[in-house]
């Protein structure tokens, strides 16, 4: 069993904090840009940021063509296609509902990993932790609060299907990455640069017929949102995520999607003056208990 060290927990937490603001930033970006432009800009800024880090750290790019073919697939499923889908979904769904769909990632990853990664199958305690985390997340977000909300009126099933498709992409990407590549064989920076660059190329091709050259209502706030989404959320955070996947495996690493809605709630309290309701602190306790169980932090006695 891989030793779970404090640095891995720190990287996991940092990625969750950064990605916790992503749905809000997507909403801001969409005030000026089309979904295709947000996705392409996000990946483009991410690739530039990672390239700059590589140059400053004098990290050599990956030249193993066999590995690059696998990284291209990982980039498509973990970065390219889902980010384009989320940008489109952001036009129709509130960020809280998007967060709930996003948090199905560990459950889908658990199913795929049990089929394709027999050596990474989780214990019963780990599975309970994943399910408990999902329940805690539901309490935090409180989907009942959105019943009858004006923003959801007229939302088509296509938006819900799109959100589920995006999380399915993440699950496929996590499992494929674990099955085909040893991330420890590469620099996390070089690996993330290759992954995001491949995702950028894929999205650029996909976005050409879907509004890439649409007229924009430019404003600096929207551009800043896309820049932060790219440089931090799609650049630096992917370095952290690559390291977490290598240390913990795909299912446990994908539980970062449980953390992101909590960050969104805390940002609402800190920046927008929102208040706690009963479900949020209770849900957070349940959520983090589930994560701790899944990571093996909480010891569980087994009967003889």
């Amino acid at each position: 069993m891989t030793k779970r060290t404090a640095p891995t927990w720190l990287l996991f937490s940092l990625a969750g904090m950064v990605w916790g603001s992503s749905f809000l930033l997507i909403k801001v970006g969409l005030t000026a840009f089309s979904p295709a432009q947000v996705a392409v800009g996000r990946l483009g800024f991410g690739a530039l940021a990672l390239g700059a880090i590589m140059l400053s750290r004098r990290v050599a790019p990956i030249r193993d063509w066999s590995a690059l073919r696998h990284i291209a697939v990982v980039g498509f499923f973990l970065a390219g296609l889902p980010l384009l889908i989320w940008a489109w979904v952001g036009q129709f769904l509130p960020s809280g509902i998007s967060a709930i769909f996003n948090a199905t990632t560990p459950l889908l990853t658990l199913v795929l990993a049990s089929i394709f990664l027999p050596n990474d199958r989780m214990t019963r305690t780990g599975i309970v932790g994943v399910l408990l985390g999902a329940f805690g997340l539901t309490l935090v977000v409180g989907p009942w609060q959105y019943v009858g909300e004006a923003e959801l009126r007229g939302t088509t099933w296509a938006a819900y299907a799109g959100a589920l498709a995006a999380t399915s992409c993440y699950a496929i990407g996590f499992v494929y990455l674990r099955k085909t590549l040893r991330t420890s064989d590469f620099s996390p920076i070089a690996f993330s640069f290759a992954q995001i660059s491949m995702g950028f190329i894929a999205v650029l091709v996909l976005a050409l017929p879907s509004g890439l050259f649409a007229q924009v209502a430019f404003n600096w706030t929207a551009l800043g949102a896309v820049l932060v989404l790219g440089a931090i959320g799609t650049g630096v955070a992917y370095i952290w995520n690559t390291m977490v996947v290598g240390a913990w495996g795909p299912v446990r690493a994908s539980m970062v999607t449980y953390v992101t809605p909590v960050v969104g709630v805390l940002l609402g309290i800190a920046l927008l003056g929102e208040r706690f309701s009963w479900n949020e602190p209770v849900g957070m306790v349940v959520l983090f208990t589930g994560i701790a169980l899944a990571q093996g932090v909480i010891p569980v006695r087994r009967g003889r």
Side-chain angles (χ1 to χ4, degrees):
M1 181 179 292
T2 302
K3 185 178 180 180
R4 296 173 181 84
T5 60
T8 305
W9 267 105
L10 177 61
L11 297 176
F12 177 85
S13 302
L14 288 172
M17 291 172 63
V18 169
W19 286 336
S21 62
S22 62
F23 293 108
L24 174 62
L25 292 173
I26 288 172
K27 287 280 189 183
V28 175
L30 288 172
T31 62
F33 304 109
S34 71
Q37 290 165 344
V38 170
V40 170
R42 179 179 182 177
L43 284 158
F45 284 130
L48 288 173
L50 289 167
I53 294 172
M54 284 182 66
L55 288 174
S56 65
R57 299 282 295 273
R58 297 183 179 178
V59 175
I62 297 173
R63 294 187 174 89
D64 183 337
W65 289 105
S66 177
L68 285 172
R69 286 197 296 270
H70 291 304
I71 294 173
V73 176
V74 172
F76 180 78
F77 283 108
L78 276 186
L81 183 57
L83 297 190
L84 181 60
I85 294 174
W86 279 127
W88 177 79
V89 168
Q91 301 174 102
F92 308 104
L93 297 182
S95 57
I97 294 296
S98 295
I100 290 176
F101 274 100
N102 193 45
T104 63
T105 299
L107 302 176
L108 295 173
T109 306
L110 179 62
V111 172
L112 292 181
S114 66
I115 298 171
F116 297 105
L117 300 174
N119 293 331
D120 277 0
R121 285 177 181 166
M122 298 183 71
T123 63
R124 290 182 180 178
T125 302
I127 294 172
V128 169
V130 171
L131 297 176
L132 187 63
F135 176 67
L137 173 72
T138 303
L139 286 177
V140 170
V141 176
W144 55 86
Q145 301 175 51
Y146 296 96
V147 175
E149 185 171 303
E151 191 174 354
L152 282 176
R153 293 171 189 165
T155 299
T156 65
W157 284 103
Y160 298 114
L164 189 59
T167 57
S168 298
C169 286
Y170 288 142
I172 293 170
F174 274 120
V175 172
Y176 186 89
L177 171 59
R178 182 71 165 187
K179 187 174 181 64
T180 61
L181 292 165
R182 286 171 48 90
T183 55
S184 58
D185 292 340
F186 309 100
S187 160
I189 300 173
F191 186 92
S192 299
F193 173 73
Q195 175 186 349
I196 297 304
S197 298
M198 298 289 190
F200 171 73
I201 293 171
V203 161
L204 194 61
V205 173
L206 292 172
L208 285 175
S210 60
L212 181 59
F213 299 108
Q215 187 174 0
V216 302
F218 178 82
N219 67 72
W220 288 104
T221 302
L223 179 61
V226 176
L227 177 60
V228 173
L229 269 172
I232 307 299
T234 315
V236 177
Y238 270 75
I239 298 175
W240 300 333
N241 185 64
T242 297
M243 297 171 71
V244 173
V245 172
W248 283 357
V251 178
R252 294 179 177 88
S254 69
M255 289 183 75
V256 71
T257 57
Y258 286 172
V259 178
T260 53
V262 174
V263 175
V265 169
L266 295 177
L267 286 175
I269 294 169
L271 302 179
L272 303 178
E274 297 176 354
R275 296 182 179 180
F276 264 144
S277 59
W278 69 269
N279 56 292
E280 289 160 350
V282 172
M284 287 182 189
V285 172
V286 175
L287 169 62
F288 288 113
T289 300
I291 292 176
L293 275 174
Q295 308 298 359
V297 174
I298 299 177
V300 177
R301 289 187 177 181
R302 301 183 183 277
R304 294 181 179 177

